[in-house]
Amino acid sequence: MTGDPRTILVLGGARSGKSRHAQALAEARSPARVFIATAEAADAEMHARIAQHRADRDATWRTVEAAIALPEAIRAHGAGGDVVLVDCLTLWLSNLLLAEMDLEAAGAALLDATAAATAPIVFVSNEVGFGIVPDNALARRFRDAAGRLNQRLAAQCDATDLVVAGIPLRISPR
Amino acid sequence: MTGDPRTILVLGGARSGKSRHAQALAEARSPARVFIATAEAADAEMHARIAQHRADRDATWRTVEAAIALPEAIRAHGAGGDVVLVDCLTLWLSNLLLAEMDLEAAGAALLDATAAATAPIVFVSNEVGFGIVPDNALARRFRDAAGRLNQRLAAQCDATDLVVAGIPLRISPR
Amino acid sequence: MTGDPRTILVLGGARSGKSRHAQALAEARSPARVFIATAEAADAEMHARIAQHRADRDATWRTVEAAIALPEAIRAHGAGGDVVLVDCLTLWLSNLLLAEMDLEAAGAALLDATAAATAPIVFVSNEVGFGIVPDNALARRFRDAAGRLNQRLAAQCDATDLVVAGIPLRISPR
């Protein structure tokens, strides 16, 4: 591959600095920027997080909300040259799970939309599988689905970064 | 060290692709393959996982079950040239803990059997220590034992890989 | 940067070997050594861990306890040439949280004390954000605070190591 990677997956733990790194990657690519937010402000805690993230972005960013219809949003905004930042896949999966959607089909639709896009896309996702096995079955289903989606997307993206304590590590291609 | 590492430890989180990577490493080493399974099909969820893993391997693999007697299985199958794949150490530890066995002694027996073997061996193990401290004491004991075993085995193995989102990283030797 | 890093952050999961690696780093720097312990022996389990860690250090180490007043301890012991080992920041944060202290202000005081010191300092901290979202709000607050502190300290330290299964990986500078 020559030149910049078109699609980049940014993985990290909670509060690892992955969103900030992904934003910096996106801002280096294009002055025209679309932020696809998958978060829903279901409670005060989440509302505060969303507001903080929004305040971290300036007016060069357009914000689109896609709590469920993420593949559709990527098709709508990924056909031009604007850089697209998707933050984050883990919340999207969580929304799908709560809505009792088909996670495998949704993942396939996401991969298809990504392959069909022409825009540079940066995805943010949580790595959630490095703790002990969760007690409840729903959490295990979520963790399995998140791991599978991260694997599938990493295999398709041109580059994957792992962020640890704010330090981005390019783990593929090495 | 020259040539291929004889013993490799493959670490990863849940659904990280560590089993698939370990299988690929083993298949590259020898056409004669022994799979040592530590899983017990105690419930339907686990039964489905085991069946899926077995379906991922073809007829070139012989499968041996060793939920507790893993050191003995390594001695029995590690004396020839067939490659041995052990999947996974974390379930084995869990089985030992539930059976109230001596975890330190079992770990030492595993290391001894590994040192005495002549076959290439690939071990799969979960990295489980990157979450917050678990609420209950049993989970903490398990986490501590898993961390200690991973350390001891990594120190003895010729190579250690960490798998993140399906991407294998050789972390030792670098 | 030329020469040895003055300040090093050592990150790792539970039972990853991070304390042992940090101790080795410190012992390579100076024969005069101060260990700043943030652990409080609140129960038997913690008491046993502290005793084990203390037994791992020889008489060349002086031990200072700073469950809360860590910035002050760094100012007191970081003005000379003795190497200072702080183990660990995660327990310190936990102590602050239980004491209902201002975590942001404490983090800023830690960074200031570190910048003002002249001694080599090695910090040990847990990476705790790679599991699924904890059920309770206090655990989430803790996880967020730990992640933020790790990021801030990594940005200020001259080097950061991630320890996995006893294997230290220098993740910054690369």
Side-chain angles (χ1 to χ4, degrees):
Chain A
M1 190 181 65
T2 59
D4 285 334
R6 183 179 71 85
T7 50
I8 305 179
L9 174 61
V10 176
L11 293 169
R15 294 286 156 179
S16 62
K18 60 191 183 305
S19 289
R20 200 179 50 216
H21 172 60
Q23 186 179 332
L25 285 174
E27 293 182 346
R29 287 302 291 271
S30 170
R33 299 146 185 172
V34 179
F35 185 92
I36 302 183
T38 61
E40 288 186 305
D43 59 26
E45 184 180 333
M46 187 59 78
H47 190 82
R49 285 182 189 236
I50 293 173
Q52 179 61 50
H53 276 207
R54 196 181 278 255
D56 289 342
R57 297 187 303 272
D58 65 22
T60 63
W61 285 91
R62 278 183 300 144
T63 297
V64 173
E65 296 187 1
I68 297 284
L70 178 58
E72 294 80 354
I74 289 173
R75 287 190 185 276
H77 299 280
D82 294 6
V83 66
V84 175
L85 174 53
V86 178
D87 193 350
C88 69
L89 295 178
T90 320
L91 277 173
W92 176 62
L93 262 189
S94 176
N95 296 337
L96 294 175
L97 195 64
L98 292 174
E100 300 185 358
M101 312 276 290
D102 181 334
L103 302 183
E104 289 292 312
L110 177 71
L111 293 180
D112 287 348
T114 301
T118 54
I121 309 179
V122 182
F123 295 97
V124 177
S125 189
N126 281 64
E127 173 53 58
V128 297
F130 282 115
I132 62 163
V133 178
D135 282 336
N136 74 78
L138 188 69
R140 287 197 299 275
R141 264 195 71 203
F142 173 70
R143 192 170 77 144
D144 284 356
R148 269 199 299 270
L149 182 64
N150 286 345
Q151 280 190 55
R152 293 165 76 185
L153 202 58
Q156 180 171 311
C157 281
D158 299 321
T160 298
D161 289 355
L162 176 68
V163 183
V164 178
I167 301 165
L169 310 169
R170 176 126 315 170
I171 60 175
S172 173
R174 298 188 91 184
Chain B
M1 191 181 65
T2 58
D4 284 334
R6 182 179 72 85
T7 51
I8 306 178
L9 174 61
V10 175
L11 294 168
R15 294 284 154 179
S16 62
K18 59 190 183 306
S19 289
R20 200 178 51 215
H21 172 60
Q23 186 179 332
L25 286 174
E27 293 182 345
R29 286 304 291 272
S30 171
R33 300 146 184 171
V34 179
F35 185 90
I36 303 183
T38 61
E40 289 187 303
D43 59 27
E45 183 180 334
M46 187 58 80
H47 190 83
R49 285 182 189 236
I50 292 173
Q52 180 60 50
H53 276 207
R54 197 180 279 253
D56 289 343
R57 298 188 301 274
D58 64 24
T60 63
W61 284 92
R62 277 183 301 145
T63 298
V64 173
E65 295 188 0
I68 296 285
L70 178 59
E72 293 81 354
I74 289 174
R75 287 189 185 275
H77 299 280
D82 292 7
V83 66
V84 175
L85 173 53
V86 178
D87 193 350
C88 71
L89 296 177
T90 320
L91 277 173
W92 175 62
L93 261 189
S94 177
N95 295 337
L96 294 175
L97 194 64
L98 292 174
E100 300 186 358
M101 312 276 291
D102 181 335
L103 303 183
E104 289 293 312
L110 178 71
L111 294 180
D112 287 348
T114 302
T118 54
I121 308 178
V122 182
F123 295 97
V124 177
S125 189
N126 281 64
E127 173 53 58
V128 298
F130 282 115
I132 62 164
V133 179
D135 282 335
N136 74 78
L138 189 69
R140 288 196 298 275
R141 265 195 72 203
F142 173 70
R143 192 171 78 144
D144 284 356
R148 269 199 301 268
L149 182 64
N150 285 344
Q151 279 190 57
R152 293 165 76 186
L153 202 57
Q156 181 171 311
C157 281
D158 298 322
T160 299
D161 289 355
L162 176 68
V163 183
V164 178
I167 300 164
L169 310 168
R170 176 128 313 171
I171 60 174
S172 172
R174 297 188 92 184
Chain C
M1 189 182 64
T2 59
D4 284 335
R6 182 178 72 84
T7 51
I8 306 179
L9 174 61
V10 176
L11 293 169
R15 293 287 156 178
S16 63
K18 59 190 184 305
S19 290
R20 200 179 50 216
H21 173 59
Q23 186 179 330
L25 285 174
E27 293 182 347
R29 286 304 290 271
S30 170
R33 300 146 183 171
V34 179
F35 185 91
I36 303 182
T38 61
E40 288 186 305
D43 59 27
E45 184 180 334
M46 187 58 80
H47 190 83
R49 284 181 190 238
I50 292 173
Q52 179 60 50
H53 276 208
R54 196 181 279 254
D56 289 344
R57 298 188 302 272
D58 65 22
T60 63
W61 285 92
R62 278 184 299 144
T63 298
V64 173
E65 295 187 2
I68 296 285
L70 178 58
E72 294 80 354
I74 289 173
R75 287 189 185 276
H77 298 280
D82 293 6
V83 66
V84 175
L85 173 54
V86 178
D87 192 350
C88 71
L89 295 176
T90 320
L91 277 173
W92 175 61
L93 262 190
S94 176
N95 295 337
L96 294 174
L97 195 64
L98 292 174
E100 300 186 358
M101 312 275 290
D102 181 334
L103 302 183
E104 289 293 312
L110 178 71
L111 294 180
D112 287 348
T114 301
T118 55
I121 309 179
V122 181
F123 295 98
V124 177
S125 189
N126 281 64
E127 172 54 58
V128 297
F130 281 115
I132 62 164
V133 179
D135 282 335
N136 74 78
L138 188 69
R140 287 197 298 274
R141 265 195 72 203
F142 173 71
R143 194 171 77 142
D144 284 356
R148 269 199 300 270
L149 181 64
N150 285 345
Q151 279 190 56
R152 293 165 76 185
L153 202 58
Q156 181 171 310
C157 281
D158 299 321
T160 299
D161 289 354
L162 177 68
V163 183
V164 178
I167 301 164
L169 310 169
R170 177 129 310 172
I171 60 174
S172 173
R174 296 187 94 185

